[in-house]
């Protein structure tokens, strides 16, 4: 089994004006596709890992042959991270309704607004290329490059924001703040809420 580029649940132009069709096309068809292809190529010579899921690969990097560990980390991380990123967005966004997830956010941050503020601050101040995550433990964490919380422990990301320049430069140039603000308008809270519920019912 090899990994495949996931189909999006919306069209490339549907997230406009927050994210342009041009960025979505490049980001999905070129950047994400390249992560998938390079991951598959790296694992070709090790068929014994062909039934490992992407989560298994990323959470057990140290069990892989040394010569592919970094490639699986970078390219596999890129595949997982982007697959989640696309799902965290939907045209026009959805509402964060009262739910167990909503309550967990309020317990941790005081309010949804405060959570959004904290997440935004982390996204603005992350140096270089990387991601900002909300984990299933309702923590905000950042990671460099294509790393993610699966690699560093038992936390699973519920949502992630790509702050690599390729995610926004065509539309926003150096104005990362404007990209982050626009992104909040396309967040699919229903998806994130379901992910929280799934993660917590499995415990
Ligand atoms: Mn990206």
């Amino acid at each position: 089994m090899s990994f495949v580029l996931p189909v999006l649940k919306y069209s490339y132009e549907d997230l406009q004006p927050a994210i342009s069709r041009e960025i979505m096309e490049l980001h999905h068809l070129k950047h994400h596709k390249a992560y998938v292809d390079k991951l598959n190529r790296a694992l070709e010579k090790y068929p014994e890992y062909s039934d490992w899921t992407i989560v298994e690969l990323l959470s057990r990097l140290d069990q892989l042959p040394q010569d592919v560990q970094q490639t699986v980390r970078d390219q596999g991380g890129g595949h997982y991270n982007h697959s989640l990123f696309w799902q965290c967005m939907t045209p026009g966004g959805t509402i964060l309704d009262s739910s167990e997830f909503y309550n967990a956010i309020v317990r941790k941050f005081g309010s949804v607004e405060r959570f959004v503020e904290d997440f935004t601050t982390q996204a603005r101040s992350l140096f270089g290329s990387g991601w900002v995550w909300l984990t299933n433990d309702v923590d905000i964490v950042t990671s460099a490059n294509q790393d993610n919380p699966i690699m560093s422990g038992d936390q699973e990301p519920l949502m992630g924001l790509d702050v690599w320049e390729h995610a926004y430069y065509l539309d926003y140039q150096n104005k990362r703040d404007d990209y982050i603000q626009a992104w909040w308008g396309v967040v699919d809270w229903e998806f994130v809420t379901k992910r929280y519920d799934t993660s917590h019912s499995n415990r």
Side-chain angles (χ1 to χ4, degrees):
M1 186 199 86
S2 55
F3 294 99
V4 292
L5 186 68
V7 175
L8 302 186
K9 59 184 180 182
Y10 40 78
S11 303
Y12 291 127
E13 66 270 20
D14 287 350
L15 300 179
Q16 298 188 124
I19 303 177
S20 67
R21 179 181 55 77
E22 289 79 4
I23 283 191
M24 285 302 298
E25 267 179 15
L26 278 168
H27 205 172
H28 184 247
L29 287 176
K30 305 290 180 190
H31 290 276
H32 190 168
K33 174 82 162 46
Y35 295 124
V36 172
D37 291 346
K38 288 176 185 167
L39 173 63
N40 286 333
R41 211 171 305 143
L43 292 171
E44 254 167 25
K45 57 182 167 176
Y46 296 109
E48 59 269 42
Y49 300 98
S50 62
D51 61 342
W52 284 32
T53 65
I54 189 65
V55 171
E56 286 169 338
L57 288 169
L58 298 180
S59 59
R60 299 197 239 152
L61 284 170
D62 56 342
Q63 294 172 33
L64 299 176
Q66 205 136 31
D67 65 319
V68 293
Q69 281 183 14
Q70 192 61 44
T71 306
V72 173
R73 180 178 190 144
D74 294 338
Q75 312 300 332
H79 174 45
Y80 177 93
N81 297 347
H82 288 84
S83 300
L84 178 61
F85 183 56
W86 310 132
Q87 291 182 282
C88 290
M89 300 187 288
T90 194
T94 53
I95 302 294
L96 177 49
D97 275 326
S98 51
S99 58
E100 280 306 308
F101 173 60
Y102 179 97
N103 294 339
I105 291 279
V106 172
R107 260 197 314 275
K108 186 76 171 246
F109 297 95
S111 68
V112 172
E113 291 70 27
R114 189 56 200 275
F115 159 69
V116 168
E117 229 171 81
D118 286 5
F119 192 101
T120 298
T121 302
Q122 300 258 5
R124 289 170 67 170
S125 51
L126 177 61
F127 183 77
S129 296
W131 292 76
V132 185
W133 309 101
L134 174 67
T135 70
N136 56 343
D137 290 338
V138 202
D139 288 325
I140 300 171
V141 300
T142 62
S143 44
N145 305 314
Q146 296 297 351
D147 285 0
N148 67 41
I150 294 173
M151 298 172 187
S152 47
D154 57 356
Q155 294 211 92
E156 181 192 4
L158 299 177
M159 66 190 270
L161 172 58
D162 188 348
V163 291
W164 281 57
E165 283 188 347
H166 71 223
Y168 63 89
Y169 212 84
L170 266 181
D171 291 349
Y172 298 95
Q173 292 79 48
N174 58 328
K175 297 187 283 288
R176 188 192 278 186
D177 288 8
D178 293 354
Y179 160 64
I180 299 164
Q181 285 312 321
W183 179 74
W184 286 115
V186 294
V187 168
D188 190 351
W189 288 110
E190 284 174 14
F191 169 78
V192 181
T193 302
K194 271 184 212 139
R195 209 169 152 78
Y196 175 89
D197 290 341
T198 304
S199 150
H200 284 254
S201 66
N202 290 339
R203 288 187 163 187

